[in-house]
Amino acid sequence: MKQCKLFATTLTLLFIAACALDTSRSDGRQTEGLTFFHLNDTYRIGAVESGKAGGFGRVVTVIRDAKQHGRDVRVLHGGDFLYPSLESQLWNGQQMVDAFNYMDDIAPMYVVAGNHEFDPRTPEHLINAVRQSRFDWLGDNYVFKTDDEQVDGALRRAFIFEHGDKKVGVFALTLHPDDGGNDRAYVPTDIDYKEIAEKTIQSLEKQNADLIVGVTHLHMWQDVDIATLKEKHPRLLFIVGGHEHEPEHSPATVNRAAVMKGASNARVIWRVDVDFPDDGLPVITRSKLMELDESIESDTGYDEVEDKWRGQLLEKFPFLTATVGEAAVPLDAREVTIRNRESSWGNFVVDQMRGAFGEPPVDLAFINSGTLRIDDFISGDIRFEDIGRTFGFSSFLRYLNLSGGEFRQVLEAGYRGAGPSKGYFPQVSGFRVCIDRANPSGKRIVSLQVPTAGGWAEIEDGADYTVVVPDYLYGGGDGYEFPQLREASRPGSELKYRVLDAIMAAQAQGQKVGAPVDPDNPRIVILEGADKDCFR
Ligand SMILES: [Zn+2]
């Protein structure tokens, strides 16, 4: 942590105000201009898709490249990184802090906490993470209340850094528990995002900020709403955010700041170049969505950080690389697939849920795709690591009875809201469902069918069905609401081991697992345009 933060915890408000101006990184050198790189929702220390996409090694390469071209580079992160991941189950996100520190040493890095930074119920992990951070933790609508004075004082409120003779103000906001944030006593959070943003912007204006940017972990529509503050505060140029896992862009207008989000695991990041015309307001001279693919080499210096953690992981769990089975086809578990449509890996995983409570298998099962974290293809040999990376959380299941009408109503939550790539999007088994997103939220399922002796029939509203769902969803997670009177079994049977067991059973019989999604027999149909034909 920087020196001034330590003062801020112990000395007077005067010092806090002095510390709000960060000159520690300003070398006073004239540069070619100011460049921001923005990333969000990163869970992997390395790249994904067998090393072909994303990863901090590629981020470091593009940062170094911009710096070599004389740019003054700042790295922004929209939150969600300490959890969940295979590594975090061992190190509580220390591996991410190490990676961020590496980037921060090259270009100053400013980070807002996302909901996943507060996954654990108690703050020990956060204390360790913040104490080891050289990058800056930002937050204007929340505070750390960990009882560790140094950590609690380290969270930076709206601050200004200098670029040449220009002042750049940065504010940061994160999700309140009512909107999907974690409800933790060690991080009291305020929900009045826009009001706080405006007050913060006003304070930055008073400090003569030439340019103001927001770093958030909110829903896209909330960012776009905050962006309208540009009308009254024209130096607000852009907001970059997280929480969504696929790229989003709301371009700037005269009255609205630009809003941008990248893809998870740095598969796609944003580069934003800004300029300060002699008379007038700051402008974005270039905003570029950068796909970090094989055309960009990983930085060899960063690779050493990655290799170090890889080595420690394999030391702890040497069996991770062991083959447990074989995939019949490349099983698609990328977030871009699994959070938007039927997925071959999703189908295989959810099929294992139906037998989790013995014979006969239950009628219906589904899982929120956000539980499945690997963000990769699983092809050829299936290794234990693929299972470990798929389940970043515990995955205990519950069994219950629901009427067809109740089930339909519960499932509607999976198709609510706007925009792509929601972690609550369900992968399903035992039924097929047709969605029309043109309908209002809560009324988007136009057909929900179960198999019959002769084919398929609409689910019967009044009939009872047996159902298996994750304990997390039964408890109200991800916005799903189960009827209060419908009691479920105790949480039992962990899905991670059901999946492992199924793969090993197939391997024992010399069989491969998984099947491609069948376009002639889909489980999930999402109507597009004028086409209202669900199941042909
Ligand atoms: Zn999030």
Side-chain angles (χ1 to χ4, degrees), residues 351-369:
D351 285 347
Q352 311 317 317
M353 292 170 68
R354 288 175 52 214
F357 290 84
E359 291 296 322
V362 300
D363 301 315
L364 314 167
F366 70 91
I367 193 171
N368 56 315
S369 53

Side-chain angles (χ1 to χ4, degrees), residues 41 43 78-80 114-117 174-175 180 217-218 242-245:
D41 298 82
Y43 309 93
D80 278 0
N115 49 301
H116 283 306
E117 273 61 81
T174 199
L175 280 175
H217 193 82
L218 301 173
H243 201 56
E244 275 95 0
H245 283 205

Side-chain angles (χ1 to χ4, degrees), residues 377-399:
F377 283 101
I378 298 171
S379 42
D381 288 347
I382 303 175
R383 298 171 305 154
F384 191 92
E385 183 169 357
D386 296 318
I387 315 296
R389 291 207 182 280
T390 294
F391 296 96
F393 302 105
S394 68
S395 53
F396 290 100
L397 302 173
R398 285 186 188 251
Y399 169 100

Side-chain angles (χ1 to χ4, degrees), residues 140-277:
D140 288 291
N141 71 325
Y142 62 100
V143 292
F144 291 158
K145 227 171 134 183
T146 65
D147 284 340
D148 181 311
E149 205 180 322
Q150 186 186 342
V151 168
D152 295 353
L155 186 71
R156 303 193 80 175
R157 311 197 76 79
F159 78 104
I160 282 183
F161 70 83
E162 288 183 335
H163 163 74
D165 61 352
K166 301 297 177 193
K167 290 181 175 177
V168 182
V170 184
F171 68 92
L173 303 164
T174 199
L175 280 175
H176 184 272
D178 287 357
D179 286 325
N182 267 312
D183 194 0
R184 303 289 181 239
Y186 62 82
V187 52
T189 305
D190 203 316
I191 200 167
D192 301 319
Y193 311 119
K194 198 174 179 182
E195 208 178 301
I196 292 166
E198 180 153 33
K199 276 189 192 148
T200 310
I201 289 167
Q202 283 166 342
S203 86
L204 292 167
E205 285 169 340
K206 276 194 195 121
Q207 296 172 67
N208 300 317
D210 297 285
L211 159 68
I212 297 170
V213 304
V215 188
T216 66
H217 193 82
L218 301 173
H219 299 292
M220 185 67 185
W221 65 269
Q222 294 167 326
D223 287 315
V224 172
D225 186 37
I226 294 165
T228 61
L229 290 170
K230 182 183 173 188
E231 186 164 15
K232 283 201 283 180
H233 306 280
R235 294 187 183 278
L236 173 63
L237 193 58
F238 67 85
I239 295 169
V240 285
H243 201 56
E244 275 95 0
H245 283 205
E246 295 305 320
E248 303 240 15
H249 186 207
S250 164
T253 66
V254 178
N255 296 326
R256 210 176 57 205
V259 180
M260 291 158 273
K261 302 190 184 206
S264 53
N265 295 319
R267 285 176 288 125
V268 181
I269 66 170
W270 282 92
R271 172 179 175 153
V272 184
D273 291 359
V274 300
D275 197 12
F276 302 86

Side-chain angles (χ1 to χ4, degrees), residues 256-425:
R256 210 176 57 205
V259 180
M260 291 158 273
K261 302 190 184 206
S264 53
N265 295 319
R267 285 176 288 125
V268 181
I269 66 170
W270 282 92
R271 172 179 175 153
V272 184
D273 291 359
V274 300
D275 197 12
F276 302 86
D278 285 340
D279 40 68
L281 297 166
V283 291
I284 295 176
T285 51
R286 178 165 81 148
S287 65
K288 185 182 173 200
L289 199 57
M290 301 181 77
E291 202 169 319
L292 301 189
D293 58 19
E294 287 174 286
S295 68
I296 298 164
E297 283 196 22
S298 183
D299 179 79
T300 50
Y302 178 80
D303 290 346
E304 284 176 30
V305 176
E306 188 185 325
D307 291 348
K308 176 185 77 182
W309 288 101
R310 179 77 190 162
Q312 288 183 32
L313 183 68
L314 291 180
E315 207 171 288
K316 207 86 169 170
F317 296 144
F319 58 87
L320 280 181
T321 55
T323 298
V324 293
E326 210 176 329
V329 292
L331 297 170
D332 192 349
R334 293 171 305 157
E335 291 189 341
V336 67
T337 303
I338 214 156
R339 291 175 173 233
N340 290 295
R341 55 185 179 272
E342 184 180 342
S343 128
S344 47
W345 181 237
N347 286 348
F348 179 75
V349 167
V350 186
D351 285 347
Q352 311 317 317
M353 292 170 68
R354 288 175 52 214
F357 290 84
E359 291 296 322
V362 300
D363 301 315
L364 314 167
F366 70 91
I367 193 171
N368 56 315
S369 53
T371 290
L372 310 174
R373 308 299 297 200
I374 184 168
D375 195 12
D376 218 330
F377 283 101
I378 298 171
S379 42
D381 288 347
I382 303 175
R383 298 171 305 154
F384 191 92
E385 183 169 357
D386 296 318
I387 315 296
R389 291 207 182 280
T390 294
F391 296 96
F393 302 105
S394 68
S395 53
F396 290 100
L397 302 173
R398 285 186 188 251
Y399 169 100
L400 72 159
N401 287 286
L402 289 176
S403 74
E406 288 169 333
F407 183 77
R408 179 193 294 261
Q409 200 175 349
V410 168
L411 193 67
E412 277 283 3
Y415 310 107
R416 70 188 191 271
S421 288
K422 302 297 183 194
Y424 52 74
F425 182 86

